[in-house]
mmCIF file of all heavy atoms in Angstrom:
data_model
loop_
_atom_site.group_PDB
_atom_site.id
_atom_site.type_symbol
_atom_site.label_atom_id
_atom_site.label_comp_id
_atom_site.label_asym_id
_atom_site.label_seq_id
_atom_site.Cartn_x
_atom_site.Cartn_y
_atom_site.Cartn_z
ATOM 1 N N THR X 1 0.834 -1.212 -0.001
ATOM 2 C CA THR X 1 0.022 0.008 -0.014
ATOM 3 C C THR X 1 0.865 1.263 0.003
ATOM 4 O O THR X 1 0.411 2.311 -0.444
ATOM 5 C CB THR X 1 -0.920 0.016 1.214
ATOM 6 O OG1 THR X 1 -0.132 -0.145 2.424
ATOM 7 C CG2 THR X 1 -1.922 -1.132 1.169
ATOM 8 N N SER X 2 2.058 1.143 0.469
ATOM 9 C CA SER X 2 2.952 2.315 0.513
ATOM 10 C C SER X 2 3.247 2.814 -0.892
ATOM 11 O O SER X 2 3.453 4.014 -1.110
ATOM 12 C CB SER X 2 4.268 1.959 1.208
ATOM 13 O OG SER X 2 4.915 0.867 0.559
ATOM 14 N N MET X 3 3.224 1.896 -1.862
ATOM 15 C CA MET X 3 3.447 2.330 -3.285
ATOM 16 C C MET X 3 2.235 3.156 -3.802
ATOM 17 O O MET X 3 2.434 4.138 -4.568
ATOM 18 C CB MET X 3 3.657 1.123 -4.159
ATOM 19 C CG MET X 3 4.904 0.340 -3.825
ATOM 20 S SD MET X 3 6.395 1.228 -4.246
ATOM 21 C CE MET X 3 6.355 1.288 -6.025
ATOM 22 N N SER X 4 1.062 2.758 -3.409
ATOM 23 C CA SER X 4 -0.137 3.470 -3.904
ATOM 24 C C SER X 4 -0.255 4.836 -3.281
ATOM 25 O O SER X 4 -1.036 5.670 -3.806
ATOM 26 C CB SER X 4 -1.381 2.625 -3.614
ATOM 27 O OG SER X 4 -1.525 2.473 -2.192
ATOM 28 N N LYS X 5 0.491 5.117 -2.216
ATOM 29 C CA LYS X 5 0.401 6.396 -1.568
ATOM 30 C C LYS X 5 1.435 7.407 -2.033
ATOM 31 O O LYS X 5 1.553 8.487 -1.511
ATOM 32 C CB LYS X 5 0.487 6.208 -0.076
ATOM 33 C CG LYS X 5 -0.674 5.411 0.517
ATOM 34 C CD LYS X 5 -0.551 5.236 2.028
ATOM 35 C CE LYS X 5 -1.705 4.443 2.627
ATOM 36 N NZ LYS X 5 -1.559 4.209 4.109
ATOM 37 N N LEU X 6 2.271 6.988 -3.016
ATOM 38 C CA LEU X 6 3.292 7.915 -3.511
ATOM 39 C C LEU X 6 2.568 9.107 -4.180
ATOM 40 O O LEU X 6 1.809 8.910 -5.128
ATOM 41 C CB LEU X 6 4.170 7.191 -4.538
ATOM 42 C CG LEU X 6 5.088 6.116 -3.965
ATOM 43 C CD1 LEU X 6 5.800 5.323 -5.046
ATOM 44 C CD2 LEU X 6 6.110 6.752 -3.020
ATOM 45 N N PRO X 7 2.831 10.323 -3.731
ATOM 46 C CA PRO X 7 2.067 11.486 -4.147
ATOM 47 C C PRO X 7 2.204 11.832 -5.634
ATOM 48 O O PRO X 7 1.271 12.438 -6.216
ATOM 49 C CB PRO X 7 2.554 12.588 -3.232
ATOM 50 C CG PRO X 7 3.943 12.170 -2.820
ATOM 51 C CD PRO X 7 3.879 10.658 -2.756
ATOM 52 N N LYS X 8 3.364 11.558 -6.241
ATOM 53 C CA LYS X 8 3.602 11.989 -7.617
ATOM 54 C C LYS X 8 3.590 10.875 -8.650
ATOM 55 O O LYS X 8 3.885 11.078 -9.832
ATOM 56 C CB LYS X 8 4.933 12.768 -7.681
ATOM 57 C CG LYS X 8 4.969 14.021 -6.853
ATOM 58 C CD LYS X 8 6.240 14.801 -7.012
ATOM 59 C CE LYS X 8 6.264 16.078 -6.169
ATOM 60 N NZ LYS X 8 7.487 16.869 -6.387
ATOM 61 N N LEU X 9 3.298 9.671 -8.212
ATOM 62 C CA LEU X 9 3.333 8.517 -9.124
ATOM 63 C C LEU X 9 2.268 8.639 -10.210
ATOM 64 O O LEU X 9 1.091 8.806 -9.944
ATOM 65 C CB LEU X 9 3.102 7.205 -8.298
ATOM 66 C CG LEU X 9 3.337 5.941 -9.053
ATOM 67 C CD1 LEU X 9 4.817 5.823 -9.484
ATOM 68 C CD2 LEU X 9 2.947 4.714 -8.189
ATOM 69 N N LYS X 10 2.722 8.549 -11.465
ATOM 70 C CA LYS X 10 1.834 8.664 -12.611
ATOM 71 C C LYS X 10 1.758 7.353 -13.443
ATOM 72 O O LYS X 10 0.763 7.100 -14.057
ATOM 73 C CB LYS X 10 2.298 9.783 -13.532
ATOM 74 C CG LYS X 10 2.185 11.176 -12.944
ATOM 75 C CD LYS X 10 2.619 12.239 -13.956
ATOM 76 C CE LYS X 10 2.468 13.646 -13.355
ATOM 77 N NZ LYS X 10 2.897 14.688 -14.306
ATOM 78 N N LYS X 11 2.778 6.538 -13.314
ATOM 79 C CA LYS X 11 2.862 5.313 -14.143
ATOM 80 C C LYS X 11 3.419 4.188 -13.289
ATOM 81 O O LYS X 11 4.513 4.284 -12.785
ATOM 82 C CB LYS X 11 3.691 5.539 -15.416
ATOM 83 C CG LYS X 11 3.730 4.336 -16.329
ATOM 84 C CD LYS X 11 4.533 4.631 -17.608
ATOM 85 C CE LYS X 11 4.584 3.436 -18.476
ATOM 86 N NZ LYS X 11 5.412 3.735 -19.713
ATOM 87 N N LEU X 12 2.670 3.074 -13.229
ATOM 88 C CA LEU X 12 3.104 1.888 -12.552
ATOM 89 C C LEU X 12 2.883 0.696 -13.431
ATOM 90 O O LEU X 12 1.735 0.309 -13.723
ATOM 91 C CB LEU X 12 2.350 1.714 -11.211
ATOM 92 C CG LEU X 12 2.673 0.454 -10.405
ATOM 93 C CD1 LEU X 12 4.127 0.439 -9.973
ATOM 94 C CD2 LEU X 12 1.747 0.384 -9.162
ATOM 95 N N ASN X 13 3.983 0.074 -13.926
ATOM 96 C CA ASN X 13 3.858 -1.052 -14.808
ATOM 97 C C ASN X 13 4.136 -2.350 -14.062
ATOM 98 O O ASN X 13 5.259 -2.616 -13.636
ATOM 99 C CB ASN X 13 4.928 -0.887 -15.941
ATOM 100 C CG ASN X 13 4.778 -1.961 -17.020
ATOM 101 O OD1 ASN X 13 4.083 -2.943 -16.874
ATOM 102 N ND2 ASN X 13 5.463 -1.773 -18.152
ATOM 103 N N VAL X 14 3.084 -3.159 -13.854
ATOM 104 C CA VAL X 14 3.199 -4.422 -13.154
ATOM 105 C C VAL X 14 2.718 -5.610 -14.029
ATOM 106 O O VAL X 14 2.297 -6.641 -13.519
ATOM 107 C CB VAL X 14 2.406 -4.402 -11.854
ATOM 108 C CG1 VAL X 14 3.002 -3.420 -10.863
ATOM 109 C CG2 VAL X 14 0.953 -4.052 -12.095
ATOM 110 N N LYS X 15 2.873 -5.440 -15.330
ATOM 111 C CA LYS X 15 2.376 -6.500 -16.250
ATOM 112 C C LYS X 15 3.162 -7.811 -16.080
ATOM 113 O O LYS X 15 4.319 -7.829 -15.681
ATOM 114 C CB LYS X 15 2.525 -6.004 -17.698
ATOM 115 C CG LYS X 15 1.607 -4.822 -18.086
ATOM 116 C CD LYS X 15 1.849 -4.460 -19.521
ATOM 117 C CE LYS X 15 0.918 -3.275 -19.906
ATOM 118 N NZ LYS X 15 1.145 -2.851 -21.292
ATOM 119 N N ARG X 16 2.429 -8.895 -16.370
ATOM 120 C CA ARG X 16 3.032 -10.224 -16.333
ATOM 121 C C ARG X 16 3.604 -10.608 -15.006
ATOM 122 O O ARG X 16 4.773 -11.088 -14.935
ATOM 123 C CB ARG X 16 4.058 -10.402 -17.488
ATOM 124 C CG ARG X 16 3.399 -10.318 -18.873
ATOM 125 C CD ARG X 16 4.446 -10.406 -19.986
ATOM 126 N NE ARG X 16 5.383 -9.308 -19.941
ATOM 127 C CZ ARG X 16 5.164 -8.098 -20.482
ATOM 128 N NH1 ARG X 16 4.002 -7.822 -21.053
ATOM 129 N NH2 ARG X 16 6.114 -7.171 -20.411
ATOM 130 N N ASN X 17 2.880 -10.396 -13.955
ATOM 131 C CA ASN X 17 3.188 -10.872 -12.595
ATOM 132 C C ASN X 17 2.078 -11.849 -12.193
ATOM 133 O O ASN X 17 0.929 -11.732 -12.643
ATOM 134 C CB ASN X 17 3.305 -9.719 -11.602
ATOM 135 C CG ASN X 17 4.669 -9.059 -11.638
ATOM 136 O OD1 ASN X 17 5.625 -9.568 -11.079
ATOM 137 N ND2 ASN X 17 4.742 -7.914 -12.270
ATOM 138 N N PRO X 18 2.380 -12.839 -11.376
ATOM 139 C CA PRO X 18 1.346 -13.835 -10.995
ATOM 140 C C PRO X 18 0.382 -13.355 -9.924
ATOM 141 O O PRO X 18 0.224 -13.964 -8.871
ATOM 142 C CB PRO X 18 2.181 -15.022 -10.484
ATOM 143 C CG PRO X 18 3.403 -14.379 -9.909
ATOM 144 C CD PRO X 18 3.685 -13.171 -10.828
ATOM 145 N N PHE X 19 -0.259 -12.215 -10.202
ATOM 146 C CA PHE X 19 -1.279 -11.722 -9.242
ATOM 147 C C PHE X 19 -2.502 -12.642 -9.196
ATOM 148 O O PHE X 19 -2.830 -13.250 -10.221
ATOM 149 C CB PHE X 19 -1.736 -10.312 -9.624
ATOM 150 C CG PHE X 19 -0.663 -9.264 -9.540
ATOM 151 C CD1 PHE X 19 -0.176 -8.615 -10.630
ATOM 152 C CD2 PHE X 19 -0.113 -8.930 -8.308
ATOM 153 C CE1 PHE X 19 0.764 -7.645 -10.588
ATOM 154 C CE2 PHE X 19 0.854 -7.991 -8.218
ATOM 155 C CZ PHE X 19 1.317 -7.345 -9.341
ATOM 156 N N PRO X 20 -3.151 -12.765 -8.014
ATOM 157 C CA PRO X 20 -4.346 -13.587 -7.961
ATOM 158 C C PRO X 20 -5.437 -13.075 -8.920
ATOM 159 O O PRO X 20 -5.554 -11.866 -9.138
ATOM 160 C CB PRO X 20 -4.833 -13.425 -6.518
ATOM 161 C CG PRO X 20 -3.591 -13.006 -5.746
ATOM 162 C CD PRO X 20 -2.791 -12.198 -6.762
ATOM 163 N N ASP X 21 -6.167 -13.998 -9.519
ATOM 164 C CA ASP X 21 -7.237 -13.667 -10.467
ATOM 165 C C ASP X 21 -8.431 -13.030 -9.721
ATOM 166 O O ASP X 21 -9.054 -13.729 -8.938
ATOM 167 C CB ASP X 21 -7.683 -14.878 -11.235
ATOM 168 C CG ASP X 21 -8.646 -14.563 -12.331
ATOM 169 O OD1 ASP X 21 -9.035 -13.381 -12.475
ATOM 170 O OD2 ASP X 21 -9.047 -15.490 -13.042
ATOM 171 N N PRO X 22 -8.698 -11.723 -9.935
ATOM 172 C CA PRO X 22 -9.797 -11.121 -9.195
ATOM 173 C C PRO X 22 -11.181 -11.682 -9.577
ATOM 174 O O PRO X 22 -12.148 -11.489 -8.826
ATOM 175 C CB PRO X 22 -9.679 -9.609 -9.578
ATOM 176 C CG PRO X 22 -9.009 -9.645 -10.924
ATOM 177 C CD PRO X 22 -8.072 -10.824 -10.885
ATOM 178 N N THR X 23 -11.305 -12.332 -10.741
ATOM 179 C CA THR X 23 -12.583 -12.861 -11.174
ATOM 180 C C THR X 23 -12.850 -14.248 -10.593
ATOM 181 O O THR X 23 -13.953 -14.783 -10.725
ATOM 182 C CB THR X 23 -12.596 -12.978 -12.690
ATOM 183 O OG1 THR X 23 -11.585 -13.901 -13.134
ATOM 184 C CG2 THR X 23 -12.337 -11.608 -13.337
ATOM 185 N N GLN X 24 -11.823 -14.839 -9.969
ATOM 186 C CA GLN X 24 -12.020 -16.165 -9.385
ATOM 187 C C GLN X 24 -12.913 -16.139 -8.188
ATOM 188 O O GLN X 24 -12.715 -15.332 -7.261
ATOM 189 C CB GLN X 24 -10.684 -16.770 -9.043
ATOM 190 C CG GLN X 24 -10.720 -18.240 -8.609
ATOM 191 C CD GLN X 24 -9.342 -18.781 -8.288
ATOM 192 O OE1 GLN X 24 -8.342 -18.098 -8.418
ATOM 193 N NE2 GLN X 24 -9.305 -20.061 -7.991
ATOM 194 N N GLN X 25 -13.938 -16.953 -8.161
ATOM 195 C CA GLN X 25 -14.875 -16.971 -7.043
ATOM 196 C C GLN X 25 -14.273 -17.659 -5.858
ATOM 197 O O GLN X 25 -13.513 -18.584 -5.963
ATOM 198 C CB GLN X 25 -16.147 -17.715 -7.481
ATOM 199 C CG GLN X 25 -16.943 -17.039 -8.607
ATOM 200 C CD GLN X 25 -18.214 -17.729 -8.896
ATOM 201 O OE1 GLN X 25 -18.451 -18.842 -8.408
ATOM 202 N NE2 GLN X 25 -19.088 -17.148 -9.720
ATOM 203 N N GLU X 26 -14.693 -17.165 -4.694
ATOM 204 C CA GLU X 26 -14.212 -17.745 -3.459
ATOM 205 C C GLU X 26 -14.903 -19.082 -3.229
ATOM 206 O O GLU X 26 -16.011 -19.356 -3.710
ATOM 207 C CB GLU X 26 -14.531 -16.821 -2.289
ATOM 208 C CG GLU X 26 -13.756 -15.516 -2.354
ATOM 209 C CD GLU X 26 -14.048 -14.662 -1.134
ATOM 210 O OE1 GLU X 26 -14.826 -15.089 -0.290
ATOM 211 O OE2 GLU X 26 -13.473 -13.562 -1.063
ATOM 212 N N GLU X 27 -14.236 -19.965 -2.532
ATOM 213 C CA GLU X 27 -14.814 -21.268 -2.201
ATOM 214 C C GLU X 27 -15.962 -21.095 -1.246
ATOM 215 O O GLU X 27 -15.997 -20.151 -0.465
ATOM 216 C CB GLU X 27 -13.712 -22.169 -1.564
ATOM 217 C CG GLU X 27 -12.581 -22.481 -2.505
ATOM 218 C CD GLU X 27 -11.569 -23.400 -1.850
ATOM 219 O OE1 GLU X 27 -11.791 -23.767 -0.657
ATOM 220 O OE2 GLU X 27 -10.571 -23.757 -2.476
ATOM 221 N N PRO X 28 -16.962 -21.998 -1.265
ATOM 222 C CA PRO X 28 -18.083 -21.919 -0.384
ATOM 223 C C PRO X 28 -17.618 -21.942 1.048
ATOM 224 O O PRO X 28 -16.693 -22.607 1.435
ATOM 225 C CB PRO X 28 -18.888 -23.208 -0.682
ATOM 226 C CG PRO X 28 -18.491 -23.554 -2.095
ATOM 227 C CD PRO X 28 -17.063 -23.117 -2.209
ATOM 228 N N VAL X 29 -18.311 -21.135 1.900
ATOM 229 C CA VAL X 29 -17.907 -21.068 3.314
ATOM 230 C C VAL X 29 -18.310 -22.343 4.031
ATOM 231 O O VAL X 29 -19.431 -22.822 3.951
ATOM 232 C CB VAL X 29 -18.667 -19.885 3.973
ATOM 233 C CG1 VAL X 29 -18.284 -19.792 5.445
ATOM 234 C CG2 VAL X 29 -18.269 -18.583 3.246
ATOM 235 N N ASP X 30 -17.374 -22.978 4.692
ATOM 236 C CA ASP X 30 -17.636 -24.180 5.421
ATOM 237 C C ASP X 30 -18.512 -23.877 6.640
ATOM 238 O O ASP X 30 -18.251 -22.934 7.365
ATOM 239 C CB ASP X 30 -16.338 -24.801 5.899
ATOM 240 C CG ASP X 30 -16.521 -26.133 6.536
ATOM 241 O OD1 ASP X 30 -16.733 -26.142 7.770
ATOM 242 O OD2 ASP X 30 -16.509 -27.183 5.838
ATOM 243 N N SER X 31 -19.529 -24.698 6.849
ATOM 244 C CA SER X 31 -20.497 -24.389 7.925
ATOM 245 C C SER X 31 -19.850 -24.420 9.327
ATOM 246 O O SER X 31 -20.148 -23.670 10.201
ATOM 247 C CB SER X 31 -21.628 -25.396 7.903
ATOM 248 O OG SER X 31 -21.101 -26.746 8.050
ATOM 249 N N ILE X 32 -18.854 -25.351 9.522
ATOM 250 C CA ILE X 32 -18.205 -25.445 10.817
ATOM 251 C C ILE X 32 -17.315 -24.268 11.046
ATOM 252 O O ILE X 32 -17.260 -23.729 12.121
ATOM 253 C CB ILE X 32 -17.374 -26.769 10.876
ATOM 254 C CG1 ILE X 32 -18.320 -27.962 10.722
ATOM 255 C CG2 ILE X 32 -16.633 -26.839 12.212
ATOM 256 C CD1 ILE X 32 -19.417 -28.014 11.756
ATOM 257 N N LYS X 33 -16.658 -23.769 9.958
ATOM 258 C CA LYS X 33 -15.813 -22.590 10.093
ATOM 259 C C LYS X 33 -16.678 -21.402 10.493
ATOM 260 O O LYS X 33 -16.283 -20.539 11.249
ATOM 261 C CB LYS X 33 -15.103 -22.290 8.783
ATOM 262 C CG LYS X 33 -14.012 -23.285 8.449
ATOM 263 C CD LYS X 33 -13.282 -22.912 7.178
ATOM 264 C CE LYS X 33 -12.153 -23.943 6.866
ATOM 265 N NZ LYS X 33 -11.480 -23.572 5.625
ATOM 266 N N ARG X 34 -17.887 -21.323 9.955
ATOM 267 C CA ARG X 34 -18.777 -20.206 10.311
ATOM 268 C C ARG X 34 -19.150 -20.291 11.807
ATOM 269 O O ARG X 34 -19.220 -19.329 12.503
ATOM 270 C CB ARG X 34 -20.031 -20.246 9.456
ATOM 271 C CG ARG X 34 -19.799 -19.831 8.010
ATOM 272 C CD ARG X 34 -21.080 -19.816 7.261
ATOM 273 N NE ARG X 34 -22.009 -18.847 7.810
ATOM 274 C CZ ARG X 34 -23.291 -18.746 7.479
ATOM 275 N NH1 ARG X 34 -23.798 -19.573 6.570
ATOM 276 N NH2 ARG X 34 -24.050 -17.839 8.019
ATOM 277 N N THR X 35 -19.450 -21.533 12.261
ATOM 278 C CA THR X 35 -19.811 -21.735 13.626
ATOM 279 C C THR X 35 -18.720 -21.289 14.608
ATOM 280 O O THR X 35 -18.970 -20.712 15.642
ATOM 281 C CB THR X 35 -20.195 -23.182 13.878
ATOM 282 O OG1 THR X 35 -21.213 -23.570 12.983
ATOM 283 C CG2 THR X 35 -20.651 -23.421 15.292
ATOM 284 N N GLU X 36 -17.481 -21.527 14.180
ATOM 285 C CA GLU X 36 -16.379 -21.206 15.080
ATOM 286 C C GLU X 36 -16.189 -19.695 15.276
ATOM 287 O O GLU X 36 -15.528 -19.261 16.196
ATOM 288 C CB GLU X 36 -15.036 -21.779 14.499
ATOM 289 C CG GLU X 36 -15.002 -23.288 14.595
ATOM 290 C CD GLU X 36 -13.783 -23.835 13.917
ATOM 291 O OE1 GLU X 36 -13.112 -23.080 13.189
ATOM 292 O OE2 GLU X 36 -13.468 -25.050 14.159
ATOM 293 N N THR X 37 -16.802 -18.910 14.382
ATOM 294 C CA THR X 37 -16.690 -17.480 14.506
ATOM 295 C C THR X 37 -17.856 -16.829 15.255
ATOM 296 O O THR X 37 -17.936 -15.651 15.362
ATOM 297 C CB THR X 37 -16.583 -16.797 13.136
ATOM 298 O OG1 THR X 37 -17.788 -17.047 12.421
ATOM 299 C CG2 THR X 37 -15.419 -17.393 12.382
ATOM 300 N N LEU X 38 -18.804 -17.718 15.700
ATOM 301 C CA LEU X 38 -20.010 -17.225 16.398
ATOM 302 C C LEU X 38 -20.007 -17.634 17.885
ATOM 303 O O LEU X 38 -19.329 -18.603 18.261
ATOM 304 C CB LEU X 38 -21.260 -17.734 15.705
ATOM 305 C CG LEU X 38 -21.437 -17.326 14.233
ATOM 306 C CD1 LEU X 38 -22.623 -18.062 13.624
ATOM 307 C CD2 LEU X 38 -21.586 -15.827 14.068
ATOM 308 N N TYR X 39 -20.784 -16.930 18.653
ATOM 309 C CA TYR X 39 -20.966 -17.288 20.072
ATOM 310 C C TYR X 39 -21.983 -18.422 20.160
ATOM 311 O O TYR X 39 -22.966 -18.451 19.452
ATOM 312 C CB TYR X 39 -21.383 -16.120 20.894
ATOM 313 C CG TYR X 39 -20.369 -15.062 21.015
ATOM 314 C CD1 TYR X 39 -20.473 -13.881 20.263
ATOM 315 C CD2 TYR X 39 -19.277 -15.203 21.862
ATOM 316 C CE1 TYR X 39 -19.525 -12.855 20.353
ATOM 317 C CE2 TYR X 39 -18.310 -14.243 21.973
ATOM 318 C CZ TYR X 39 -18.437 -13.042 21.203
ATOM 319 O OH TYR X 39 -17.495 -12.103 21.275
ATOM 320 N N LEU X 40 -21.772 -19.381 21.098
ATOM 321 C CA LEU X 40 -22.698 -20.507 21.284
ATOM 322 C C LEU X 40 -23.412 -20.327 22.639
ATOM 323 O O LEU X 40 -22.756 -20.094 23.673
ATOM 324 C CB LEU X 40 -21.926 -21.795 21.245
ATOM 325 C CG LEU X 40 -21.129 -22.094 19.989
ATOM 326 C CD1 LEU X 40 -20.376 -23.387 20.135
ATOM 327 C CD2 LEU X 40 -22.080 -22.202 18.769
ATOM 328 N N VAL X 41 -24.744 -20.447 22.588
ATOM 329 C CA VAL X 41 -25.497 -20.320 23.824
ATOM 330 C C VAL X 41 -26.544 -21.477 23.848
ATOM 331 O O VAL X 41 -26.836 -22.104 22.845
ATOM 332 C CB VAL X 41 -26.242 -18.954 23.928
ATOM 333 C CG1 VAL X 41 -25.226 -17.855 23.932
ATOM 334 C CG2 VAL X 41 -27.202 -18.785 22.736
ATOM 335 N N GLN X 42 -27.131 -21.701 25.039
ATOM 336 C CA GLN X 42 -28.140 -22.687 25.168
ATOM 337 C C GLN X 42 -29.547 -22.087 24.966
ATOM 338 O O GLN X 42 -29.739 -20.895 25.170
ATOM 339 C CB GLN X 42 -28.021 -23.379 26.519
ATOM 340 C CG GLN X 42 -26.669 -24.100 26.706
ATOM 341 C CD GLN X 42 -26.689 -24.909 27.952
ATOM 342 O OE1 GLN X 42 -27.721 -25.230 28.529
ATOM 343 N NE2 GLN X 42 -25.438 -25.307 28.382
ATOM 344 N N GLU X 43 -30.498 -22.946 24.665
ATOM 345 C CA GLU X 43 -31.842 -22.472 24.299
ATOM 346 C C GLU X 43 -32.529 -21.737 25.438
ATOM 347 O O GLU X 43 -33.221 -20.752 25.210
ATOM 348 C CB GLU X 43 -32.703 -23.677 23.912
ATOM 349 C CG GLU X 43 -32.277 -24.342 22.589
ATOM 350 C CD GLU X 43 -33.235 -25.443 22.180
ATOM 351 O OE1 GLU X 43 -34.364 -25.450 22.697
ATOM 352 O OE2 GLU X 43 -32.853 -26.304 21.371
ATOM 353 N N LYS X 44 -32.277 -22.139 26.675
ATOM 354 C CA LYS X 44 -32.926 -21.530 27.815
ATOM 355 C C LYS X 44 -32.532 -20.084 28.036
ATOM 356 O O LYS X 44 -33.195 -19.353 28.765
ATOM 357 C CB LYS X 44 -32.610 -22.351 29.077
ATOM 358 C CG LYS X 44 -31.143 -22.349 29.478
ATOM 359 C CD LYS X 44 -30.897 -23.222 30.717
ATOM 360 C CE LYS X 44 -29.450 -23.197 31.132
ATOM 361 N NZ LYS X 44 -29.033 -21.852 31.529
#
């Protein structure tokens, strides 16, 4: 991010680097992983 904050930068050539494909869809969220991020309480 420090590069994007350069105040006078006009040209940045980063062609042909193995950047992640932004169009690639994320994998489905695993239900157990979701549960691990939530609080667990009892019905009462």
Side-chain angles (χ1 to χ4, degrees):
T1 55
S2 57
M3 295 292 292
S4 62
K5 295 179 181 179
L6 291 171
K8 298 184 179 182
L9 190 63
K10 294 182 178 180
K11 183 178 180 180
L12 178 61
N13 186 349
V14 293
K15 294 180 179 179
R16 295 178 297 278
N17 277 282
F19 294 115
D21 186 358
T23 62
Q24 187 176 2
Q25 294 183 352
E26 295 182 359
E27 296 181 0
V29 180
D30 185 272
S31 59
I32 299 302
K33 289 182 180 179
R34 289 184 61 190
T35 303
E36 289 176 347
T37 64
L38 299 174
Y39 292 104
L40 301 177
V41 298
Q42 297 188 17
E43 293 184 18
K44 64 182 181 63

